[in-house]
Amino acid sequence: MTDVDEAAAPAGEPPPERPDGRAGGREDDAKAAKDGRPDGPEQPEEKPRLDAPRGSPLGGAGEAGGARTAREARTNLHIEGDNQIYDGNTFYQTQIRVGTDDVFVDGPVPDEELEHLGRVYCRAPGYDAMKTRLERTHLLALCGEHGTGRTSTGLALLRDVAAGVSRLDPATALGSVDREKFDAGRGYLLELPAEDAGAVPAASAETGKDGGNGRHATGPRPSDLHLDRLSALLADRGAYGVLVVGGGDFADRLVRGRYGVLCVPPPADDVLERHVADLLAAAPGPLLERARTNAARPDVRQALGLDELRPGEAARLAGHLAAHAKGEADDAQLLRECRGFAPRQAQEWLAGADRPGTLPEALPALRAAALRLSLAVFNGSAESLVTEAGELLAWELAVTLDPQHAPGRPLFTAQTSARLAAARAVPDQGEEDLGEATIPVRVTRFQGRRLATAVLFEAWDGYHNVRGPLTRWLRSLCDDQRPQMWVRAAMVAGELCARDYLYGFSELLLPLARADSPVQQMAAATALAATARNERVQPAVRGLLRDWGRGDDRSACETAAFAHGYGVAAGSVAGSLDELARIGCREEGGKPADAASYSVARLLAGPEPDVVLRRLARWLGDRQQNRQNLALVVVLRALSTRTSHLWGLQDSPVLESYGSWPLAAALVAAHPERAPWVADLVHETLNTARAGAAAQEEMGRWMRRAAKDERQLDVLCAFLPRLVEGRRDRDRLLLLVVRLERDSDEPLAPRAAARMRAVLEGEGRR
């Protein structure tokens, strides 16, 4: 047995003299009774019987699937321009007008920009087909997400087919343009605002204002009629037009029509190579090679935190690599710039997402922001969870923005796949743990490990008024019985509270901790433990839990017990055990004591089981009956609870392969050197009058499970002899095997029963 630091022992307790942690041996029960130890065979006083705990105090919520969800949430939160040139970070918060307003403003693209484009542009897949189509129809709509290179592709196409290129004002009124507006043989580029972009007031044809009602009108998207007319006008003048359209329902309709084509970005590595070569064209050859080498460095890729750069991002990275290669920036500056890519994307997504400030005009932008925030919380989760949680958040954001308006949900105007693609998410296949089985699910995740935290922190730190709807949304998710929902929400709540503890405590933690729902209390405990991982706020959390554990508020006391089950808030597992002993040994008992035993069992399944085993042995040898009872109930939980149900915030990889086994069995299998310690605890529980019946019941359940699993049966058969120190122990276990074998409803398999009898009788037959 690995020795454990004696600092783990409470003050005043002597170190154990044997693995069971007690002075003296259990073989001399009379001597134990004489020495004052309660519950020996000679003890005449009858103690209240302890029943085996049935499940967790959460009523099963957080058990099946909780471990997987917590692991994914930890991974999600762990952190150590629309094209190659022109889109950059520009968002046109303008109105597309197709009415009769006579608006036509164009500006020529400078020759030097077109020359630069010729040097660095990488042809998008299908470029030749797009060029042929443009030459035939004189109008092309390039559809795609911001940052995929649509504008550069449009300019390149117009440069190839037209004599000169101009940009049109995004507010161009397409319905009023006539042929005289276009120069013969010239190319025109018009960037349409994204569907989820906020719109400025659209001028009314009658008043030239917003209609006088204080609300903003939203103009319709160009119809096929407008596009056919525009195509004919351009063809009549021998001119060409390219529309740049963001992803969404309108883009989907265009792609299915005569003029739309999906603009797929070229490989990011090719874009990067072109831009680096252009920036270092006049530099010595070794500098170009140095920039290429730095681009492939693992620390640079990790700092970027993006799976695939978009063309605009590749161009920006090229600038940083060129500056580093020329000695204008050192490694620290390069990595700092790379770490800013994901936050910059988050800033682009959230800036002005509530314009024009009223509903229903702002609802598309709010829904897009809500979906990105939902994906930040549930990154890698089932697509249905991400989208439903996003709709709930969109409602919270909408009623905060405009309380007079009751927002609804669009039904067939926004495909889920298109909305997720706009959020820079990709679909995948995954699994969800349902306890007894796993099921395949369609999951979705960000295209980059840094995007989730970038979006969350940008919303939390950058927009104070977003905190209200965000906290209400997280609290509602923390009342969902599904661990896939509340565990993720609680982990995020903890991370946000660590960034502003004063606000997070009052608006997130306190309402959850004082709720009557055990799931909300456990969510509060999870959030507190996640908050306590931040060393700057850990003392505040430790003091709060100490006060709650000693106070009269039973809900707060129960929450404190749950929080200490993570072994973080008190600074160490030993410190958490000290606090759990105080809570679990309170005279009133009840739910706090139940929560305390559950949390000790969770610590036993954590990364420091030795500390817990030693402490349980000491508690069993304690003169206080409440402390003995706490240890006995923990042992019963270890015999009855699946290991995967006792998850925490720190991985215990060695136990993962035994997730469906009882914790006691998993500990013995994963750590054979701990088998004597576990056996001592189980033997003591079997021989304690008030817990013996419950312990036999749980041993019977373990035998039934092992009979169906050969590997678990091997572990059990090796463990059973450790529970025998005399004839009484052996006869009790043999009788249990016989009773299970003769059970008329669910008889024990004869082969398994024979093996158990053999090892108990000492024959060693397999």
Side-chain angles (χ1 to χ4, degrees):
M1 180 65 202
T2 303
D3 193 21
V4 180
D5 192 344
E6 292 299 330
E13 292 189 34
E17 297 180 7
R18 47 169 296 158
D20 63 8
R22 303 190 309 273
R26 64 171 177 247
E27 67 276 10
D28 194 348
D29 290 323
K31 183 177 184 298
K34 180 179 178 182
D35 289 343
R37 281 187 46 221
D39 299 334
E42 314 250 344
Q43 183 83 11
E45 181 182 355
E46 184 176 347
K47 307 294 183 183
R49 176 176 172 175
L50 295 176
D51 294 326
R54 286 288 169 261
S56 76
L58 308 180
E63 292 185 345
R68 179 193 293 269
T69 305
R71 182 168 58 251
E72 292 171 349
R74 292 196 307 272
T75 302
N76 182 42
L77 297 173
H78 176 67
I79 297 298
E80 302 180 5
D82 178 38
N83 71 9
Q84 302 168 39
I85 304 174
Y86 298 101
D87 287 352
N89 298 324
T90 302
F91 284 91
Y92 296 100
Q93 306 293 347
T94 56
Q95 176 64 46
I96 302 169
R97 291 176 285 185
V98 295
T100 60
D101 293 0
D102 188 11
V103 176
F104 188 90
V105 179
D106 68 321
V109 177
D111 291 340
E112 57 268 23
E113 290 191 14
L114 293 176
E115 291 174 3
H116 180 242
L117 177 69
R119 295 196 304 271
V120 300
Y121 176 70
C122 290
R123 288 193 170 194
Y127 182 87
D128 291 337
M130 288 187 277
K131 179 181 176 182
T132 301
R133 191 169 180 180
L134 177 60
E135 289 174 333
R136 185 180 72 251
T137 62
H138 289 263
L139 179 64
L140 189 69
L142 294 178
C143 304
E145 298 307 320
H146 180 78
T148 54
R150 302 163 301 166
T151 303
S152 289
T153 298
L155 289 171
L157 287 167
L158 293 173
R159 183 199 58 186
D160 287 350
V161 302
V165 182
S166 294
R167 292 192 189 93
L168 294 180
D169 186 338
T172 298
L174 297 179
S176 63
V177 176
D178 54 44
R179 65 185 299 276
E180 286 73 21
K181 300 291 185 180
F182 300 112
D183 294 336
R186 195 164 186 84
Y188 295 89
L189 182 82
L190 173 61
E191 297 187 51
L192 301 183
E195 288 185 64
D196 60 4
V200 300
S204 166
E206 291 79 10
T207 66
K209 299 180 181 179
D210 63 0
N213 60 1
R215 302 187 71 83
H216 301 291
T218 301
R221 289 280 170 173
S223 66
D224 288 343
L225 173 64
H226 294 101
L227 297 179
D228 288 340
R229 178 178 179 273
L230 182 59
S231 174
L233 292 176
L234 290 166
D236 191 43
R237 297 288 291 171
Y240 300 90
V242 172
L243 303 179
V244 176
V245 183
D249 185 62
F250 175 59
D252 291 340
R253 293 200 304 270
L254 285 177
V255 170
R256 294 193 296 268
R258 288 184 293 275
Y259 305 104
V261 61
L262 183 63
C263 185
V264 179
D269 289 342
D270 293 347
V271 178
L272 182 65
E273 173 67 22
R274 282 286 193 96
H275 279 270
V276 170
D278 182 65
L279 291 169
L280 297 177
L287 293 188
L288 178 59
E289 188 59 34
R290 181 182 180 188
R292 291 169 176 163
T293 302
N294 287 334
R297 279 167 41 183
D299 58 340
V300 170
R301 293 294 179 180
Q302 184 176 14
L304 288 169
L306 300 172
D307 294 347
E308 181 74 16
L309 294 178
R310 289 181 169 178
E313 293 165 339
R316 193 161 70 248
L317 176 60
H320 299 312
L321 292 171
H324 180 273
K326 291 186 290 187
E328 298 172 2
D330 57 16
D331 273 3
Q333 290 173 299
L334 174 62
L335 296 177
R336 183 168 59 250
E337 293 292 346
C338 290
R339 283 190 288 269
F341 275 52
R344 183 169 178 171
Q345 174 69 93
Q347 291 165 7
E348 293 175 358
W349 279 339
L350 298 180
D354 59 349
R355 293 176 184 171
T358 55
L359 298 179
E361 294 83 3
L363 192 55
L366 289 179
R367 293 182 70 240
L371 182 64
R372 286 162 178 147
L373 284 164
S374 176
L375 186 58
V377 175
F378 296 101
N379 190 28
S381 295
E383 183 181 289
S384 58
L385 295 184
V386 174
T387 52
E388 177 59 25
E391 292 293 348
L392 295 175
L393 178 57
W395 188 90
E396 289 285 356
L397 294 172
V399 297
T400 301
L401 177 68
D402 190 349
Q404 304 297 322
H405 190 92
R409 295 189 185 187
L411 298 178
F412 297 108
T413 58
Q415 281 196 331
T416 301
S417 58
R419 296 183 62 219
L420 289 170
R424 204 164 179 173
V426 291
D428 200 356
Q429 291 298 316
E431 292 182 340
E432 285 291 355
D433 183 9
L434 300 183
E436 296 300 328
T438 58
I439 58 172
V441 293
R442 179 183 171 90
V443 301
T444 186
R445 60 174 179 82
F446 273 128
Q447 289 181 297
R449 60 184 293 271
R450 287 187 178 273
L451 286 172
T453 49
V455 171
L456 283 172
F457 297 160
E458 174 65 15
W460 185 257
D461 297 336
Y463 303 94
H464 178 81
N465 289 342
V466 173
R467 290 186 175 188
L470 190 58
T471 54
R472 290 192 297 272
W473 175 65
L474 288 173
R475 290 203 307 265
S476 69
L477 296 178
C478 287
D479 197 26
D480 194 303
Q481 294 285 321
R482 294 170 293 179
Q484 292 83 0
M485 297 291 278
W486 74 258
V487 174
R488 288 274 196 157
M491 293 286 288
V492 168
E495 292 293 330
L496 297 180
C497 288
R499 300 181 74 84
D500 188 344
Y501 182 75
L502 290 178
Y503 184 93
F505 171 73
S506 61
E507 299 298 326
L508 266 174
L509 300 179
L510 196 58
L512 290 173
R514 290 181 172 172
D516 294 331
S517 164
V519 176
Q520 286 182 292
Q521 292 172 352
M522 186 62 179
T526 305
L528 281 164
T531 303
R533 292 192 298 174
N534 187 311
E535 295 181 356
R536 296 178 299 172
V537 296
Q538 188 183 95
V541 176
R542 184 187 306 131
L544 173 70
L545 295 181
R546 185 186 301 113
D547 292 341
W548 282 359
R550 291 163 172 75
D552 297 328
D553 188 327
R554 293 176 66 87
S555 294
C557 183
E558 190 174 356
T559 301
F562 285 139
H564 283 299
Y566 291 105
V568 176
S572 66
V573 171
S576 292
L577 289 169
D578 291 339
E579 295 298 323
L580 289 169
R582 293 187 181 94
I583 296 172
C585 297
R586 290 166 62 123
E587 292 298 328
E588 64 269 22
K591 289 185 177 180
D594 196 29
S597 67
Y598 177 63
S599 289
V600 176
R602 290 170 57 218
L603 291 175
L604 183 58
E608 299 183 48
D610 292 356
V611 177
V612 185
L613 289 170
R614 181 182 290 269
R615 190 63 62 90
L616 289 173
R618 286 176 176 154
W619 286 348
L620 281 176
D622 198 283
R623 295 176 180 272
Q624 296 183 32
Q625 183 176 323
N626 285 346
R627 189 161 291 185
Q628 296 172 24
N629 288 345
L630 176 60
L632 292 170
V633 173
V634 172
V635 175
L636 293 175
R637 287 193 183 279
L639 289 170
S640 63
T641 309
R642 288 169 55 118
T643 301
S644 63
H645 292 177
L646 298 169
W647 51 270
L649 298 184
Q650 296 174 285
D651 285 329
S652 185
V654 71
L655 294 181
E656 285 185 8
S657 60
Y658 307 101
S660 62
W661 291 22
L663 176 58
L667 286 172
V668 171
H671 305 284
E673 72 279 4
R674 294 186 180 123
W677 291 66
V678 177
D680 282 334
L681 294 172
V682 174
H683 183 275
E684 180 69 13
T685 306
L686 285 166
N687 281 283
T688 301
R690 61 185 183 276
Q696 286 192 59
E697 183 180 355
E698 297 307 332
M699 283 297 301
R701 287 192 171 88
W702 183 5
M703 290 175 177
R704 290 188 185 280
R705 294 190 191 99
K708 302 173 184 178
D709 182 348
E710 189 68 24
R711 190 169 61 134
Q712 193 172 168
L713 182 61
D714 291 340
V715 173
L716 175 63
C717 289
F719 182 73
L720 285 175
R722 296 182 181 277
L723 301 179
V724 177
E725 288 203 358
R727 184 179 183 85
R728 179 184 176 188
D729 297 329
R730 183 186 60 197
D731 291 347
R732 176 175 54 214
L733 293 172
L734 284 172
L735 182 61
L736 177 59
V737 174
V738 171
R739 190 172 75 242
L740 294 174
E741 193 175 15
R742 295 177 179 177
D743 191 320
S744 58
D745 295 327
E746 189 182 354
L748 195 64
R751 179 177 174 276
R755 284 192 60 185
M756 294 178 198
R757 283 198 304 270
V759 297
L760 288 171
E761 292 170 354
E763 298 178 9
R765 186 172 63 252
R766 295 185 63 84

